[in-house]
Amino acid sequence: MKRPGRHTLRLTAASAAIAAALLCLSYLFNSLPYSFGGDVSAQVWTERIGFIFNGRRNHLPDSIALVNVAYDKTLVDYDGRLYNTIPGDNRRAPSGRIALTDRRKLLDFLKAAKGAGYKYIMLDVRFDDDIVSDSVSLALFDLIGSMDRIAFAIHEGSDPVADVPADKAAFGDYNITAFESNAVKYPIIHGGRPSMAAAMYSALDGGIISTFGPLTFDGSALCMRSLFLDYPVRVFDRAVETDGLMPADYYYLNLGVDLLADPDSVARIREYVADRIVVIGDFDNDVHDTSIGQLAGSLINLNAYISLSQGRHKISWLYTALLFVIYFVIALSLIKHQSPIDMIPALRRRKSTALRFLFSLVGFSVVLSLLSLLLYLAAGIIYSIVLPSLYFSLISLWIEKRKLLSESPQ
């Protein structure tokens, strides 16, 4: 049996090193909470084609209860900041009155829900420190502190009021860039504090997210620090479609007129939340652009939790091995200046000019784009080609430059 020569071994080792380096860089790159455009192109086009044939359809499992607070506001006195450009300067002056989610109604709802056997309450409502706490607010905060399996939203750049229980606070943010303004990636943790999705995942599924330098773990399993978002739960309308009569069922209920205005509101609320994940938020105004259209921010948090509960943040070693093989073949073809047809012995022996021309048109970017599409269609995996495409482009330029230098007369 003929042994491979030293030159072949060097090429193999170099290709393996290039593939391994890309896997490591991809882990760090994809863990960033930022999207740089093109990350979810396969997902976007698949969803768009689906919309053409099937329309934009709502989907809400029975295990989820949505409560809308968009129309339950109250006016409170507000002192606005005088300076937003001077760090640490918190001087304020009376500015008038500001609309705030009605905390009395939230208090009444949570009183009824407590002990009703809900699975979890995602309270996508902020309690920022620029609003003075009155007696109703203090009662609401005490109630939240006494409840299990509940988290309320905080956002970057604003601090929660000191009276609210800090251990029930979780981030509800995602990041945008100049390249991508849609909700594409979702940070699992933010500045050492869990996201709303991670807080729910910890309470319901026992997930323990921790970090060690650039690495992130769920228990002992290596995982990503950010998620590419998918949207199995999607609600675009308030009511379930009917034949033109007033609908008998709704995807979400308004806190005031649908729940608290019921003559027996306590029983109504307890029945509505029992054995369900309860999501409280603004489903009409707090909407964000996503790959499937505009979606409520509360549902973005909920879908992020679903991804966590399905283990989509964990590193799959089978998937990693598949990527390694593909990256290895691409790297080897670049180093050896061969097309894909020359890498396969059965095809290399064929003399078809048409087949060779077809393969010559297939660059690594096309291969990676097809891979992205196949992974999403077959397994729902969102694979970003941004970094691999740039990486192999740079490798190709470097190899070509070395080739030119070696061929130039000395």
Side-chain angles (χ1 to χ4, degrees), residues 163-197:
D163 304 309
V164 76
D167 60 321
K168 302 298 174 66
F171 275 102
D173 294 327
Y174 69 90
N175 300 89
I176 63 174
T177 67
F179 305 97
E180 183 61 75
S181 59
N182 289 356
V184 173
K185 293 178 76 175
Y186 183 93
I188 299 174
I189 56 175
H190 195 302
R193 187 187 290 272
S195 64
M196 296 198 78

mmCIF file of all heavy atoms in Angstrom, residues 163-197:
data_model
loop_
_atom_site.group_PDB
_atom_site.id
_atom_site.type_symbol
_atom_site.label_atom_id
_atom_site.label_comp_id
_atom_site.label_asym_id
_atom_site.label_seq_id
_atom_site.Cartn_x
_atom_site.Cartn_y
_atom_site.Cartn_z
ATOM 1 N N ASP A 163 -37.203 49.801 44.296
ATOM 2 C CA ASP A 163 -38.200 49.066 45.083
ATOM 3 C C ASP A 163 -38.572 47.717 44.480
ATOM 4 O O ASP A 163 -39.141 46.858 45.151
ATOM 5 C CB ASP A 163 -39.473 49.909 45.220
ATOM 6 C CG ASP A 163 -39.200 51.271 45.829
ATOM 7 O OD1 ASP A 163 -38.561 51.317 46.893
ATOM 8 O OD2 ASP A 163 -39.602 52.286 45.230
ATOM 9 N N VAL A 164 -38.282 47.514 43.203
ATOM 10 C CA VAL A 164 -38.696 46.286 42.533
ATOM 11 C C VAL A 164 -37.707 45.169 42.861
ATOM 12 O O VAL A 164 -36.516 45.423 43.060
ATOM 13 C CB VAL A 164 -38.786 46.531 41.011
ATOM 14 C CG1 VAL A 164 -37.410 46.579 40.377
ATOM 15 C CG2 VAL A 164 -39.649 45.498 40.325
ATOM 16 N N PRO A 165 -38.160 43.903 42.980
ATOM 17 C CA PRO A 165 -37.238 42.808 43.307
ATOM 18 C C PRO A 165 -36.250 42.540 42.173
ATOM 19 O O PRO A 165 -36.644 42.081 41.084
ATOM 20 C CB PRO A 165 -38.166 41.612 43.535
ATOM 21 C CG PRO A 165 -39.433 41.957 42.825
ATOM 22 C CD PRO A 165 -39.554 43.436 42.908
ATOM 23 N N ALA A 166 -34.974 42.819 42.414
ATOM 24 C CA ALA A 166 -33.958 42.732 41.360
ATOM 25 C C ALA A 166 -33.781 41.314 40.844
ATOM 26 O O ALA A 166 -33.399 41.117 39.679
ATOM 27 C CB ALA A 166 -32.627 43.276 41.881
ATOM 28 N N ASP A 167 -34.053 40.316 41.684
ATOM 29 C CA ASP A 167 -33.832 38.935 41.248
ATOM 30 C C ASP A 167 -34.883 38.473 40.241
ATOM 31 O O ASP A 167 -34.743 37.402 39.641
ATOM 32 C CB ASP A 167 -33.836 37.987 42.449
ATOM 33 C CG ASP A 167 -35.157 38.013 43.209
ATOM 34 O OD1 ASP A 167 -35.741 39.102 43.352
ATOM 35 O OD2 ASP A 167 -35.605 36.946 43.661
ATOM 36 N N LYS A 168 -35.927 39.269 40.030
ATOM 37 C CA LYS A 168 -36.962 38.920 39.051
ATOM 38 C C LYS A 168 -36.792 39.710 37.750
ATOM 39 O O LYS A 168 -37.649 39.629 36.867
ATOM 40 C CB LYS A 168 -38.358 39.191 39.624
ATOM 41 C CG LYS A 168 -38.661 38.436 40.918
ATOM 42 C CD LYS A 168 -38.621 36.923 40.721
ATOM 43 C CE LYS A 168 -38.769 36.157 42.009
ATOM 44 N NZ LYS A 168 -40.082 36.313 42.653
ATOM 45 N N ALA A 169 -35.689 40.458 37.617
ATOM 46 C CA ALA A 169 -35.450 41.274 36.430
ATOM 47 C C ALA A 169 -34.650 40.484 35.400
ATOM 48 O O ALA A 169 -33.744 39.725 35.738
ATOM 49 C CB ALA A 169 -34.699 42.549 36.801
ATOM 50 N N ALA A 170 -34.978 40.670 34.118
ATOM 51 C CA ALA A 170 -34.258 40.000 33.038
ATOM 52 C C ALA A 170 -34.289 40.896 31.802
ATOM 53 O O ALA A 170 -35.250 41.635 31.574
ATOM 54 C CB ALA A 170 -34.886 38.642 32.724
ATOM 55 N N PHE A 171 -33.238 40.818 31.002
ATOM 56 C CA PHE A 171 -33.132 41.672 29.829
ATOM 57 C C PHE A 171 -34.060 41.189 28.718
ATOM 58 O O PHE A 171 -34.189 39.991 28.468
ATOM 59 C CB PHE A 171 -31.694 41.703 29.301
ATOM 60 C CG PHE A 171 -30.828 42.709 29.997
ATOM 61 C CD1 PHE A 171 -29.918 42.321 30.962
ATOM 62 C CD2 PHE A 171 -30.934 44.060 29.690
ATOM 63 C CE1 PHE A 171 -29.121 43.246 31.611
ATOM 64 C CE2 PHE A 171 -30.144 44.999 30.339
ATOM 65 C CZ PHE A 171 -29.237 44.588 31.298
ATOM 66 N N GLY A 172 -34.692 42.153 28.053
ATOM 67 C CA GLY A 172 -35.557 41.844 26.918
ATOM 68 C C GLY A 172 -35.089 42.529 25.658
ATOM 69 O O GLY A 172 -35.910 42.929 24.832
ATOM 70 N N ASP A 173 -33.766 42.669 25.472
ATOM 71 C CA ASP A 173 -33.202 43.416 24.348
ATOM 72 C C ASP A 173 -32.676 42.496 23.261
ATOM 73 O O ASP A 173 -32.305 41.348 23.507
ATOM 74 C CB ASP A 173 -32.034 44.301 24.817
ATOM 75 C CG ASP A 173 -32.487 45.406 25.743
ATOM 76 O OD1 ASP A 173 -33.603 45.902 25.567
ATOM 77 O OD2 ASP A 173 -31.716 45.764 26.644
ATOM 78 N N TYR A 174 -32.607 43.030 22.052
ATOM 79 C CA TYR A 174 -31.775 42.467 20.998
ATOM 80 C C TYR A 174 -31.022 43.633 20.367
ATOM 81 O O TYR A 174 -31.379 44.793 20.564
ATOM 82 C CB TYR A 174 -32.609 41.708 19.960
ATOM 83 C CG TYR A 174 -33.496 42.582 19.097
ATOM 84 C CD1 TYR A 174 -33.039 43.111 17.891
ATOM 85 C CD2 TYR A 174 -34.798 42.883 19.483
ATOM 86 C CE1 TYR A 174 -33.850 43.905 17.102
ATOM 87 C CE2 TYR A 174 -35.620 43.676 18.702
ATOM 88 C CZ TYR A 174 -35.133 44.190 17.504
ATOM 89 O OH TYR A 174 -35.934 44.986 16.731
ATOM 90 N N ASN A 175 -29.963 43.340 19.636
ATOM 91 C CA ASN A 175 -29.101 44.387 19.115
ATOM 92 C C ASN A 175 -29.282 44.549 17.610
ATOM 93 O O ASN A 175 -29.527 43.580 16.892
ATOM 94 C CB ASN A 175 -27.629 44.075 19.407
ATOM 95 C CG ASN A 175 -27.341 43.966 20.888
ATOM 96 O OD1 ASN A 175 -27.456 42.905 21.477
ATOM 97 N ND2 ASN A 175 -26.980 45.067 21.504
ATOM 98 N N ILE A 176 -29.140 45.785 17.141
ATOM 99 C CA ILE A 176 -29.159 46.061 15.714
ATOM 100 C C ILE A 176 -27.807 46.653 15.324
ATOM 101 O O ILE A 176 -27.047 47.129 16.172
ATOM 102 C CB ILE A 176 -30.298 47.021 15.320
ATOM 103 C CG1 ILE A 176 -30.110 48.394 15.992
ATOM 104 C CG2 ILE A 176 -31.649 46.423 15.680
ATOM 105 C CD1 ILE A 176 -31.116 49.431 15.521
ATOM 106 N N THR A 177 -27.498 46.611 14.035
ATOM 107 C CA THR A 177 -26.262 47.191 13.519
ATOM 108 C C THR A 177 -26.595 47.990 12.270
ATOM 109 O O THR A 177 -27.734 48.012 11.791
ATOM 110 C CB THR A 177 -25.237 46.099 13.161
ATOM 111 O OG1 THR A 177 -25.736 45.334 12.047
ATOM 112 C CG2 THR A 177 -24.988 45.172 14.333
ATOM 113 N N ALA A 178 -25.568 48.630 11.707
ATOM 114 C CA ALA A 178 -25.763 49.360 10.453
ATOM 115 C C ALA A 178 -26.063 48.410 9.304
ATOM 116 O O ALA A 178 -26.606 48.817 8.274
ATOM 117 C CB ALA A 178 -24.513 50.183 10.143
ATOM 118 N N PHE A 179 -25.702 47.121 9.472
ATOM 119 C CA PHE A 179 -25.920 46.139 8.410
ATOM 120 C C PHE A 179 -27.265 45.436 8.539
ATOM 121 O O PHE A 179 -27.789 44.919 7.563
ATOM 122 C CB PHE A 179 -24.804 45.082 8.449
ATOM 123 C CG PHE A 179 -23.424 45.662 8.376
ATOM 124 C CD1 PHE A 179 -22.691 45.878 9.535
ATOM 125 C CD2 PHE A 179 -22.868 46.001 7.162
ATOM 126 C CE1 PHE A 179 -21.414 46.415 9.483
ATOM 127 C CE2 PHE A 179 -21.591 46.545 7.099
ATOM 128 C CZ PHE A 179 -20.868 46.749 8.252
ATOM 129 N N GLU A 180 -27.814 45.365 9.752
ATOM 130 C CA GLU A 180 -29.028 44.586 9.982
ATOM 131 C C GLU A 180 -29.827 45.211 11.110
ATOM 132 O O GLU A 180 -29.361 45.281 12.242
ATOM 133 C CB GLU A 180 -28.657 43.144 10.337
ATOM 134 C CG GLU A 180 -29.842 42.227 10.537
ATOM 135 C CD GLU A 180 -30.693 42.103 9.297
ATOM 136 O OE1 GLU A 180 -30.274 41.407 8.366
ATOM 137 O OE2 GLU A 180 -31.777 42.721 9.272
ATOM 138 N N SER A 181 -31.033 45.695 10.782
ATOM 139 C CA SER A 181 -31.878 46.330 11.799
ATOM 140 C C SER A 181 -33.002 45.414 12.266
ATOM 141 O O SER A 181 -33.746 45.774 13.174
ATOM 142 C CB SER A 181 -32.474 47.640 11.250
ATOM 143 O OG SER A 181 -33.245 47.387 10.083
ATOM 144 N N ASN A 182 -33.161 44.250 11.635
ATOM 145 C CA ASN A 182 -34.200 43.315 12.054
ATOM 146 C C ASN A 182 -33.773 42.547 13.300
ATOM 147 O O ASN A 182 -32.591 42.504 13.653
ATOM 148 C CB ASN A 182 -34.498 42.312 10.940
ATOM 149 C CG ASN A 182 -35.228 42.951 9.775
ATOM 150 O OD1 ASN A 182 -35.580 44.133 9.822
ATOM 151 N ND2 ASN A 182 -35.454 42.191 8.727
ATOM 152 N N ALA A 183 -34.764 41.919 13.943
ATOM 153 C CA ALA A 183 -34.475 41.047 15.080
ATOM 154 C C ALA A 183 -33.975 39.710 14.525
ATOM 155 O O ALA A 183 -34.763 38.856 14.133
ATOM 156 C CB ALA A 183 -35.723 40.838 15.926
ATOM 157 N N VAL A 184 -32.660 39.545 14.464
ATOM 158 C CA VAL A 184 -32.040 38.351 13.883
ATOM 159 C C VAL A 184 -31.386 37.500 14.957
ATOM 160 O O VAL A 184 -31.556 36.283 14.992
ATOM 161 C CB VAL A 184 -31.001 38.744 12.810
ATOM 162 C CG1 VAL A 184 -30.239 37.525 12.330
ATOM 163 C CG2 VAL A 184 -31.688 39.437 11.639
ATOM 164 N N LYS A 185 -30.633 38.147 15.856
ATOM 165 C CA LYS A 185 -29.932 37.417 16.905
ATOM 166 C C LYS A 185 -30.397 37.898 18.276
ATOM 167 O O LYS A 185 -30.711 39.077 18.461
ATOM 168 C CB LYS A 185 -28.421 37.578 16.759
ATOM 169 C CG LYS A 185 -27.871 36.923 15.507
ATOM 170 C CD LYS A 185 -26.378 37.142 15.371
ATOM 171 C CE LYS A 185 -25.598 36.269 16.314
ATOM 172 N NZ LYS A 185 -24.136 36.387 16.109
ATOM 173 N N TYR A 186 -30.404 36.976 19.196
ATOM 174 C CA TYR A 186 -30.934 37.245 20.538
ATOM 175 C C TYR A 186 -29.884 36.828 21.563
ATOM 176 O O TYR A 186 -29.504 35.651 21.622
ATOM 177 C CB TYR A 186 -32.215 36.440 20.733
ATOM 178 C CG TYR A 186 -32.915 36.673 22.054
ATOM 179 C CD1 TYR A 186 -33.921 37.612 22.169
ATOM 180 C CD2 TYR A 186 -32.588 35.922 23.183
ATOM 181 C CE1 TYR A 186 -34.593 37.809 23.370
ATOM 182 C CE2 TYR A 186 -33.239 36.120 24.389
ATOM 183 C CZ TYR A 186 -34.243 37.064 24.481
ATOM 184 O OH TYR A 186 -34.887 37.249 25.671
ATOM 185 N N PRO A 187 -29.382 37.766 22.376
ATOM 186 C CA PRO A 187 -28.389 37.407 23.398
ATOM 187 C C PRO A 187 -29.017 36.627 24.546
ATOM 188 O O PRO A 187 -30.019 37.055 25.118
ATOM 189 C CB PRO A 187 -27.861 38.770 23.869
ATOM 190 C CG PRO A 187 -28.975 39.729 23.574
ATOM 191 C CD PRO A 187 -29.670 39.213 22.351
ATOM 192 N N ILE A 188 -28.433 35.489 24.870
ATOM 193 C CA ILE A 188 -28.956 34.658 25.957
ATOM 194 C C ILE A 188 -28.679 35.314 27.305
ATOM 195 O O ILE A 188 -29.510 35.268 28.216
ATOM 196 C CB ILE A 188 -28.339 33.253 25.894
ATOM 197 C CG1 ILE A 188 -28.716 32.579 24.565
ATOM 198 C CG2 ILE A 188 -28.811 32.392 27.066
ATOM 199 C CD1 ILE A 188 -28.028 31.250 24.357
ATOM 200 N N ILE A 189 -27.498 35.888 27.420
ATOM 201 C CA ILE A 189 -27.156 36.644 28.626
ATOM 202 C C ILE A 189 -26.676 38.016 28.202
ATOM 203 O O ILE A 189 -26.200 38.202 27.088
ATOM 204 C CB ILE A 189 -26.092 35.924 29.487
ATOM 205 C CG1 ILE A 189 -24.837 35.642 28.647
ATOM 206 C CG2 ILE A 189 -26.636 34.643 30.073
ATOM 207 C CD1 ILE A 189 -23.721 35.052 29.452
ATOM 208 N N HIS A 190 -26.794 38.970 29.110
ATOM 209 C CA HIS A 190 -26.488 40.360 28.785
ATOM 210 C C HIS A 190 -25.815 40.984 29.990
ATOM 211 O O HIS A 190 -26.463 41.238 31.003
ATOM 212 C CB HIS A 190 -27.781 41.101 28.436
ATOM 213 C CG HIS A 190 -27.576 42.411 27.751
ATOM 214 N ND1 HIS A 190 -26.853 43.442 28.296
ATOM 215 C CD2 HIS A 190 -27.995 42.866 26.534
ATOM 216 C CE1 HIS A 190 -26.848 44.464 27.487
ATOM 217 N NE2 HIS A 190 -27.533 44.141 26.400
ATOM 218 N N GLY A 191 -24.516 41.226 29.878
ATOM 219 C CA GLY A 191 -23.795 41.838 30.990
ATOM 220 C C GLY A 191 -23.839 41.012 32.263
ATOM 221 O O GLY A 191 -23.875 41.568 33.365
ATOM 222 N N GLY A 192 -23.857 39.697 32.117
ATOM 223 C CA GLY A 192 -23.904 38.813 33.274
ATOM 224 C C GLY A 192 -25.290 38.540 33.794
ATOM 225 O O GLY A 192 -25.471 37.692 34.673
ATOM 226 N N ARG A 193 -26.305 39.240 33.281
ATOM 227 C CA ARG A 193 -27.681 39.032 33.707
ATOM 228 C C ARG A 193 -28.420 38.244 32.626
ATOM 229 O O ARG A 193 -28.203 38.463 31.436
ATOM 230 C CB ARG A 193 -28.375 40.375 33.953
ATOM 231 C CG ARG A 193 -29.777 40.234 34.558
ATOM 232 C CD ARG A 193 -30.470 41.586 34.618
ATOM 233 N NE ARG A 193 -29.860 42.463 35.608
ATOM 234 C CZ ARG A 193 -30.209 42.501 36.878
ATOM 235 N NH1 ARG A 193 -31.150 41.691 37.337
ATOM 236 N NH2 ARG A 193 -29.627 43.336 37.710
ATOM 237 N N PRO A 194 -29.310 37.327 33.006
ATOM 238 C CA PRO A 194 -30.003 36.526 31.991
ATOM 239 C C PRO A 194 -31.004 37.336 31.192
ATOM 240 O O PRO A 194 -31.534 38.347 31.662
ATOM 241 C CB PRO A 194 -30.703 35.448 32.824
ATOM 242 C CG PRO A 194 -30.916 36.085 34.157
ATOM 243 C CD PRO A 194 -29.699 36.941 34.375
ATOM 244 N N SER A 195 -31.243 36.899 29.976
ATOM 245 C CA SER A 195 -32.334 37.454 29.187
ATOM 246 C C SER A 195 -33.652 36.898 29.725
ATOM 247 O O SER A 195 -33.662 35.976 30.550
ATOM 248 C CB SER A 195 -32.171 37.057 27.722
ATOM 249 O OG SER A 195 -32.273 35.642 27.595
ATOM 250 N N MET A 196 -34.763 37.441 29.240
ATOM 251 C CA MET A 196 -36.063 36.930 29.665
ATOM 252 C C MET A 196 -36.218 35.465 29.250
ATOM 253 O O MET A 196 -36.783 34.650 29.988
ATOM 254 C CB MET A 196 -37.189 37.771 29.069
ATOM 255 C CG MET A 196 -37.200 39.217 29.544
ATOM 256 S SD MET A 196 -38.787 40.041 29.265
ATOM 257 C CE MET A 196 -39.751 39.374 30.627
ATOM 258 N N ALA A 197 -35.712 35.138 28.066
ATOM 259 C CA ALA A 197 -35.788 33.753 27.602
ATOM 260 C C ALA A 197 -34.955 32.833 28.491
ATOM 261 O O ALA A 197 -35.382 31.726 28.835
ATOM 262 C CB ALA A 197 -35.319 33.667 26.153
#
